[in-house]
Amino acid sequence: MTPPSGPPLGLLLARTSKAVGRAFNAALAESGGSLPIWLVLANLRGSAWPSQLELAHAVGIEGPTLTRHLDGMEAAGLVRRVRDAADRRAFNVELTDAGSALHDRLVEVVIAFNRRLQTGISPAELAALRDVLGRLEANVR
Amino acid sequence: MTPPSGPPLGLLLARTSKAVGRAFNAALAESGGSLPIWLVLANLRGSAWPSQLELAHAVGIEGPTLTRHLDGMEAAGLVRRVRDAADRRAFNVELTDAGSALHDRLVEVVIAFNRRLQTGISPAELAALRDVLGRLEANVR
DNA sequence: TATTGTTATACTCTATAACTATA
DNA sequence: TATAGTTATAGAGTATAACAATA
């Protein structure tokens, strides 16, 4: 018999992710980023998206929410919306040089954050964590 | 040598907690709750708080944010703010019967959610998860 | 003066519904 | 009619700064 230990797992997870999420956001903000900006940048770098909506869902948000972020990012000179020649309803979203540069900086930030986050945690523990996290997500899907 | 495996841990954690957090909120909402409401209720049941600010910090928010939640909860008849006789600046926040009843219902929701969340995950894995989660939080503090 | 809590205000992230322009 | 994306609007959760009442 294993007795229940401490707060419910959901609460523990919420608390941890709140703390980690805040620290992550703060780290990104220091370099001029944010979590959604980084997600968009990371999904843009390397992949071409057939539509903004698919990009949005890859990021985990709805279309209008992506529009808002892209508006801000375009105003900041990070991305460009180019009309698709074949289907003039669609846009191809492209990284500008500034967008690529920010992406590169944020990658460094993410790597450093990751290193800090993982301090004192063994590779085996990390692998187990990844595995269990994946199963938790599947359990609520 | 253990090669890097998959997305950065921070991203994985963000994604998992987003998914789990949404499902958790949805489960609480079905019974008329929300994450902050549940946190306030859970912290109120059992403990007496010397000040609202300490309650706020126990919940993980600032004073004015708690004021907002308490306003809503008081309007919904879940809590009562009673002036402290000894220090008339302070309020004692008390659960009403409706607040206690909601707390009881939400406890059930939380237990059920927890059960769903933990499906197929062994006690040893859960214990390891709790441990690692705690260390992750400490690493960013 | 210091503290408790509220008010005023604003920001970020999110969503749904209605609209425009293409197809 | 259907689809890609935007605009309009709204709501939840959060914070900081200024304030009132009390100590």
Side-chain angles (χ1 to χ4, degrees):
Chain A
M1 264 294 130
T2 306
S5 48
L9 185 55
L11 181 53
L12 193 63
L13 192 57
R15 189 185 295 155
T16 304
S17 69
K18 193 175 187 175
V20 172
R22 279 185 184 183
F24 190 39
N25 248 309
L28 290 170
E30 256 179 47
S31 296
S34 72
L35 182 53
I37 286 178
W38 184 60
L39 289 174
V40 171
L41 254 23
N43 276 288
L44 242 29
R45 168 63 68 93
S47 317
W49 296 90
S51 76
Q52 279 189 199
L53 193 56
E54 298 200 40
L55 170 58
H57 288 162
V59 172
I61 57 183
E62 292 303 317
T65 305
L66 178 63
T67 293
R68 280 181 53 81
H69 291 308
L70 289 181
D71 286 349
M73 292 173 74
E74 194 167 37
L78 300 173
V79 299
R80 222 179 350 244
R81 283 188 262 214
V82 188
R83 282 237 174 257
D84 187 298
D87 182 344
R88 293 185 42 75
R89 291 170 303 181
F91 285 106
N92 296 311
V93 183
E94 298 172 357
L95 279 184
T96 62
D97 288 351
S100 291
L102 179 57
H103 176 262
D104 292 347
R105 286 205 305 282
L106 293 186
V107 165
E108 295 306 312
V109 170
V110 170
I111 289 172
F113 182 84
N114 218 35
R115 197 176 299 127
R116 167 155 77 113
L117 190 60
Q118 300 183 0
T119 300
I121 300 175
S122 76
E125 286 175 315
L126 286 176
L129 177 62
R130 285 173 180 278
D131 176 54
V132 171
L133 249 23
R135 282 188 282 153
L136 291 179
E137 191 175 343
N139 279 346
V140 300
R141 204 155 31 204
Chain B
M1 266 286 131
T2 305
S5 49
L9 185 56
L11 180 54
L12 193 64
L13 192 58
R15 188 185 296 157
T16 303
S17 69
K18 193 176 188 177
V20 172
R22 280 185 182 185
F24 190 39
N25 248 309
L28 291 170
E30 256 180 48
S31 296
S34 73
L35 182 53
I37 286 178
W38 185 59
L39 290 174
V40 171
L41 253 23
N43 276 288
L44 242 31
R45 166 65 67 94
S47 316
W49 296 90
S51 76
Q52 280 188 199
L53 193 56
E54 298 202 40
L55 171 57
H57 288 162
V59 172
I61 56 183
E62 292 302 317
T65 305
L66 178 63
T67 293
R68 281 180 52 81
H69 292 308
L70 252 24
D71 285 349
M73 293 173 74
E74 195 166 37
L78 301 173
V79 299
R80 225 180 347 244
R81 283 187 261 213
V82 189
R83 282 238 174 257
D84 188 298
D87 182 344
R88 292 185 43 75
R89 291 171 303 181
F91 284 105
N92 297 310
V93 183
E94 298 173 356
L95 279 185
T96 62
D97 288 349
S100 292
L102 179 56
H103 176 262
D104 291 347
R105 284 204 306 282
L106 293 185
V107 165
E108 295 306 311
V109 170
V110 169
I111 288 171
F113 182 84
N114 217 36
R115 197 176 301 127
R116 169 156 75 113
L117 190 60
Q118 300 183 358
T119 299
I121 299 175
S122 75
E125 286 175 314
L126 287 175
L129 177 62
R130 285 173 180 280
D131 175 54
V132 171
L133 249 23
R135 282 188 281 152
L136 291 179
E137 191 174 341
N139 279 345
V140 299
R141 205 160 27 207

